[in-house]
Structures are given as structure tokens and as C-alpha cells.
Amino acid sequence: MDPRVDQFMAKIKAKNPAEPEFHQAVHEVAESLIPFIEENPKYKHAKILERIAEPERVILFRVPWINDKGEVEINRGFRIEMNSAIGPYKGGLRFHPTVNLGILKFLAFEQVLKNSLTTLPMGGGKGGSDFDPKGKSDNEVMRFCQSFMTELSRHIGPNTDIPAGDIGVGGREIGFMFGQYKRIRNEFTGVLTGKGLGWGGSLIRPEATGYGAVYFANEMLMANGDSLKGKIAAVSGSGNVAQYTVEKLTELGGKAVTLSDSQGSIYDPDGIDAEKLAWVMELKNIRRGRIKEYAAKFGCEYFEGKRPWHVKCDVAFPSATENELNLSDAEALINNGCKVISEGANMPSTPDAIELYLSSKILYGPGKAANAGGVAVSGLEMTQNSMRLPWSREEVDARLQTIMKNIHQTCVDFGTESGGYVDYVKGANIGGFVKVADAMMAQGAV
Ligand code: NDP
Ligand code: 2IT
């Protein structure tokens, strides 16, 4: 307990009431940064920590649309433009009924440091809506996306703010939003990333977050003379990040044995091989079904309402959502022999779970480092759009691997403790902060 952190957090909580996820994200970063800032008082005098916790701009708007029954529905749209010190605002859009201001502020705050870690020139932002795409027809999703973009289009642009996908926003939604932006502005630009390959998208962008989380886990293991080869992994979620985590893990000789969704989890000790994964992709991306169907199809166990953290595994990839792994889950993982956690999701571990990882000295890659591959390849998509020249799969993948290696090294540089253990939380927080803080100092009190 550091009283300086408590004092700082008391102000944050008073100013941002009823935003528990935002408090949680800021608290974790403040714990790393406040001691560092004490040693580097220039950041203290310039009030950089206070400034990065305040969004540069918050946009909140009404999104009316017409459902298939001809009725008007009203959702709320948001865009948090958090920090533009090192580049235009960049970050995903989330469509999920739980979306609110506090959740998007936590995601935007994390995004600032994550984007800095990639070394690419991207500031941080996040947005979305409480719209629930589940059970909606393609036409309903299109009408919603068009209404959402009609307002959002006033605030974004390829040199201002470049949204992308997140939970509930994939290729289909990016397509509908891109079409509407182009129509309103009469310009074809790289205003969104995660676009289709034939209209400005980048190879490897759909794969990038999952691949990156696996590359990061491998880096942590290699730094300890080991690798993912032969490792058993628990993966949560069954969406974009989870799918490509399983794909790359299998390619590197590991074995994924779980997947989940908001209703339950499957446990397949034989492993989710390429053929089973292809079936999952069809189930989730085209038929938009539930992971429960996997158990019936492949004859394995399904745990209704349960997360996948109680199985025997060497590595865990939380890839669904925030706070999906609590202290008792962390205890179960560690008691079952899990030695590596690489977070594909944003803030999936609760603070007490993180405390246990660190005190148990297991390899723990926090989301802002481990899942930065997604936004990194978004940055590469922006580069290709600016050049009007696409790169090959090999080129993008090689760059992604280099970026993940460099993020790992940054964490080692800023997070290695006297005994040699790498605190990747501290490493990622300080490593991400320095570049943003120095840019803010150079640009004055703006
Ligand atoms: P998808 O929408 O493709 O998939 C989300 C998955 O997580 C689904 O299986 C979903 O289950 C499950 N899930 C969502 N909300 C909950 C919940 N409240 N409780 C339990 N399960 C839930 O999203 P992504 O794969 O893109 O995103 C997953 C995570 O990765 C998020 O934390 C996101 O912020 C993060 N991330 C994503 C990046 C990207 O490029 N897409 C980049 C970096 C991080 P169900 O279908 O039942 O809702
Ligand atoms: O959380 C994230 O980093 C993302 N959802 C990806 C953001 C992006 O702009 O690609």
C-alpha cells in the first residue's frame, strides 16, 4: 500500500464516479508509475500522470435505427479521444450491451500505453455502443452501423482518429461503417482499420491479436530457455482473438484444450486441432452459434456457466473480456501447474489475481503488452494505406513478430527486478509511459 497511490486514486474516484473499470486500470498503472515519477521529477512537475488520466475529448451521441419490425430503437454511441501526443487517436470500437463510459475510458487509457509500446506513431482512443449485435439480422446490423457512423464521421478521419474492431465489431461491421463514411465524406481513405483485403485492409490484421499474444508468450518462455512446443493451453473466448490464438499456438507445437463464451466453456483434452478450429470459425463467424455446440459435435465436456480456468494447463490465454479471471481462478491455474499467462483480452485478470501471479513469480504478460499485436498491425494497415501499396503476408507477419519481440524487450528493460524476475506489469506501464510523457512535455501544457 503506497499512500501516494491512494491519494492520487482518491482524486480520480471523486472526479470519475461510478467508473470502477476505469479506476482499476488507472490504479494498476499508478502503482507502477508513481515510484518511477518520484525518481524522475520532471514528469511530476508537468503533472503528466494527472493529464494522461483525463481524456482529451469525450464524444457521446444518440444512435437511432429501425429494426426489422419497423420499430425505432435507440442506442448510445461513444468515442473517447484519450491522448494524441504521439499520433492520431487509434483504438477499437466495442458493440456490447455492457458498454458504458467507464468501460470505454478504461479501454482508451490502456490503449494509450499499448500503442506507445508498439513503437508506431499512434495515440489512444476507444469507442463503441451498448448495441447488442447478438440475434440481430445482417440488415439490422447494417442500419445500426450506418446510423452510428453518420454521427461518428464528423469526429474521425485518417489523420485525426482511426477506429477499428473490438468485441462485437469484426469485418462485417467495419465494412458497413466504412461504406457509410465513404458515402458521407465522398473520400476513400484509411479511416478505419480491419478493412477487407480488397478495399484497403491488411493481410494478417484479423490474425494479429491472437498471433501476437502467442508470440509474446513464446518470447517470455524463450527468455527462460523454454518454448511453447508441447505446452498445453487454456484459452477463453471463442471470438477473433481466441480463434487466432489457437491457430498460432497449434502451429508452434502447443495444444489448446479449452474455449468459452459468455454461457460456458468446453474442455477438449485431445486438443483443438486445425480441423476443429475451422469448424469453430464457421460456427462463430458465419452461423454465429454458441460454443456449447462444439461439445456435442466433438464429444467433449461442456461446463455451463463456467470459465475454463480449472483445467490442467501450462499456459493460459484469457481472450474474452475484462475481469474474467479472478483470484480463485488464478489459484486454480497455479495449483494445476500453469506457469505462463499471456493476455489477449484487455484487463482480463482482477487485481488480486495479478498480485498472485507476481508473488508466485510466474511469467505474466499483461494485456497492454501481450495483445498489442492487433493494434500494431492496424498501424501497419495505416502505413500501407498511406503508401497505397499492400505488403505480403510474410512482410506483415515478420513486422508483427519484430514488434512483439521489441515490446518484450521493453518490458524486460523497464521491469527486471534485482533478483532477475521480470515484472512485465511494471515494464509495460513504464515502457509505454515514457514515450508519451516525453512527447507531452515537448508539446507544452496542452
Ligand atoms: P469477439 O467479439 O470476437 O469475441 C469475444 C468473445 O468473448 C466471445 O466468445 C464472447 O462470448 C466472449 N465474451 C464477450 N463478453 C463476455 C462476457 N462479458 N463474459 C464472458 N464472455 C464474454 O471479440 P474479440 O475476440 O475481438 O475480443 C476479445 C478480447 O480481446 C476483448 O477484451 C478485446 O478488448 C480484446 N482485444 C481485441 C483486439 C482485436 O483486435 N479484436 C485487440 C486487442 C484486444 P459471447 O459470444 O457469448 O458474447
Ligand atoms: O484493444 C485493442 O487494441 C483493439 N481492439 C484493437 C485496436 C485497433 O485499433 O486495432
Side-chain angles (χ1 to χ4, degrees):
M1 280 307 219
D2 184 335
R4 297 167 302 185
V5 175
D6 292 343
Q7 276 166 20
F8 175 72
M9 285 312 301
K11 287 191 198 143
I12 292 287
K13 286 178 184 166
K15 213 168 177 186
N16 304 275
E19 295 177 3
E21 293 85 3
F22 181 61
H23 304 160
Q24 185 181 334
V26 174
H27 187 266
E28 184 219 273
V29 169
E31 276 187 319
S32 302
L33 287 182
I34 286 176
F36 175 76
I37 289 172
E38 290 292 331
E39 288 164 23
N40 296 274
K42 61 180 180 179
Y43 300 129
K44 189 174 177 178
H45 298 142
K47 296 235 167 81
I48 302 294
L49 184 57
E50 289 79 353
R51 278 156 66 185
I52 62 167
E54 190 69 24
E56 287 179 15
R57 188 177 299 108
V58 172
I59 301 151
L60 197 155
F61 51 99
R62 178 169 69 201
V63 189
W65 57 282
I66 312 277
N67 68 22
D68 284 347
K69 289 186 268 178
E71 299 159 349
V72 180
E73 299 218 17
I74 296 109
N75 286 100
R76 184 170 283 183
F78 304 84
R79 186 73 184 164
I80 317 296
E81 296 185 334
M82 199 73 187
N83 194 302
S84 61
I86 63 169
Y89 309 108
K90 178 83 196 91
L93 296 170
R94 176 178 291 191
F95 293 168
H96 194 272
T98 56
V99 161
N100 60 38
L101 184 63
I103 287 181
L104 294 180
K105 278 170 67 180
F106 116 63
L107 289 162
F109 181 77
E110 290 282 289
Q111 198 80 47
V112 173
L113 301 176
K114 182 196 304 190
N115 292 4
S116 168
L117 283 169
T118 68
T119 70
L120 301 174
M122 302 182 289
K126 199 87 188 188
S129 174
D130 58 0
F131 173 74
D132 186 359
K134 275 204 200 82
K136 303 288 191 299
S137 70
D138 285 351
N139 276 330
E140 288 179 320
V141 171
M142 181 180 75
R143 286 194 295 272
F144 171 80
C145 286
Q146 289 177 340
S147 180
F148 182 83
M149 184 50 88
T150 299
E151 175 58 33
L152 188 67
S153 67
R154 310 165 190 276
H155 309 288
I156 62 175
N159 297 309
T160 308
D161 185 352
I162 305 92
D166 193 78
I167 291 176
V169 178
R172 173 182 64 169
E173 292 75 17
I174 293 291
F176 293 150
M177 289 190 277
F178 184 77
Q180 184 72 351
Y181 182 88
K182 182 164 64 61
R183 181 185 184 198
I184 290 173
R185 301 284 279 255
N186 193 27
E187 56 183 41
F188 193 114
T189 61
V191 67
L192 294 166
T193 59
K195 300 185 290 300
L197 276 181
W199 40 280
S202 174
L203 285 159
I204 306 280
R205 175 61 189 91
E207 293 89 338
T209 312
Y211 279 19
V214 173
Y215 293 147
F216 197 86
N218 216 25
E219 285 297 322
M220 292 195 288
L221 280 161
M222 286 190 304
N224 287 275
D226 201 349
S227 82
L228 278 170
K229 205 169 166 48
K231 296 284 187 295
I232 309 283
V235 180
S236 66
S238 46
N240 173 269
V241 178
Q243 292 168 15
Y244 289 106
T245 294
V246 172
E247 181 168 288
K248 183 52 72 177
L249 181 68
T250 310
E251 262 177 56
L252 296 187
K255 183 159 88 172
V257 294
T258 68
L259 283 172
S260 70
D261 62 21
S262 51
Q263 283 158 351
S265 56
I266 59 107
Y267 176 44
D268 184 353
D270 294 338
I272 303 161
D273 61 20
E275 207 175 304
K276 292 173 182 171
L277 179 62
W279 186 88
V280 170
M281 287 183 174
E282 209 259 338
L283 170 77
K284 300 305 288 188
N285 310 347
I286 297 170
R287 286 198 283 128
R288 297 182 191 273
R290 305 277 81 210
I291 202 64
K292 184 180 185 172
E293 295 177 44
Y294 181 104
K297 170 83 182 167
F298 297 110
C300 73
E301 279 182 285
Y302 174 69
F303 299 96
E304 180 77 29
K306 289 254 164 23
R307 299 147 163 180
W309 310 128
H310 53 286
V311 307
K312 194 163 170 44
C313 63
D314 306 303
V315 188
F317 291 96
S319 313
T321 194
E322 56 273 7
N323 293 325
E324 57 162 318
L325 204 169
N326 63 23
L327 179 60
S328 73
D329 298 324
E331 283 166 352
L333 281 172
I334 290 172
N335 289 339
N336 274 323
C338 181
K339 295 218 159 40
V340 183
I341 316 268
S342 185
E343 293 184 337
N346 286 304
M347 207 169 75
S349 303
T350 57
D352 47 7
I354 296 174
E355 232 171 85
L356 183 66
Y357 305 150
L358 297 180
S359 63
S360 308
K361 301 229 178 298
I362 64 168
L363 300 174
Y364 167 53
K368 67 171 73 66
N371 73 37
V375 74
V377 174
S378 277
L380 301 179
E381 182 172 329
M382 289 164 66
T383 306
Q384 295 167 79
N385 291 164
S386 299
M387 296 191 302
R388 299 183 192 278
L389 200 64
W391 280 325
S392 68
R393 208 179 155 80
E394 292 71 30
E395 171 89 37
V396 180
D397 194 32
R399 285 179 185 271
L400 170 62
Q401 289 187 49
T402 304
I403 289 170
M404 297 314 297
K405 210 180 249 303
N406 290 342
I407 295 174
H408 180 269
Q409 189 57 48
T410 302
C411 293
V412 170
D413 292 346
F414 286 99
T416 303
E417 294 181 337
S418 49
Y421 175 68
V422 181
D423 179 343
Y424 288 91
V425 176
K426 185 173 154 199
N429 287 338
I430 298 176
F433 173 78
V434 168
K435 185 177 167 195
V436 176
D438 288 344
M440 290 174 75
M441 305 260 301
Q443 293 168 26
V446 291

